[in-house]
Amino acid sequence: LTEETVQFFYNERAPSNKFPLYTEAIKFAKHENRMVRIAVRAITLSVYRIPDPSMRRYLLMGRHASYLNNVVWYMAQDCYAFDRALRRGSVKSI
């Protein structure tokens, strides 16, 4: 996903569901299959790196913002666990 190709997936003039690729992907964020969750993360991280102000405002609205908050929280938890393991000298405990 790039600045040029995002136009095929994001329609800021749509009355509802302006970004179906993103909204459908985050529905599978807690899927039982690990590969599905990895695909969701790949899609969402690709979306987050696009510097489009309108799209970013949309992503920070309502339920979309809660997904981003969850991602940040889980990443922080992983960082803390990694830090604790490094301080103990054992990466196996991650």
Side-chain angles (χ1 to χ4, degrees):
L1 198 59
T2 66
E3 290 180 60
E4 292 80 29
T5 60
V6 75
Q7 66 183 330
F8 300 115
F9 302 101
Y10 175 68
N11 181 359
E12 68 181 296
R13 292 187 214 121
S16 65
N17 202 4
K18 299 173 188 277
F19 205 171
L21 173 68
Y22 182 82
T23 55
E24 293 303 312
I26 64 174
K27 289 178 183 177
F28 295 98
K30 295 182 180 179
H31 195 275
E32 62 190 39
N33 186 309
R34 185 170 187 236
M35 292 304 289
V36 172
R37 293 191 311 269
I38 290 170
V40 170
R41 275 184 247 139
I43 290 168
T44 56
L45 291 173
S46 294
V47 167
Y48 296 150
R49 70 183 176 93
I50 304 294
D52 183 293
S54 171
M55 184 179 69
R56 287 190 176 172
R57 278 191 302 276
Y58 176 74
L59 295 175
L60 294 174
M61 293 176 6
R63 65 186 173 144
H64 310 306
S66 66
Y67 173 75
L68 181 56
N69 288 337
N70 288 338
V71 168
V72 171
W73 188 84
Y74 282 113
M75 288 174 59
Q77 296 305 308
D78 287 345
C79 288
Y80 291 136
F82 188 61
D83 181 59
R84 285 189 303 273
L86 287 175
R87 289 177 191 270
R88 284 192 300 261
S90 170
V91 180
K92 291 180 182 179
S93 63
I94 297 178

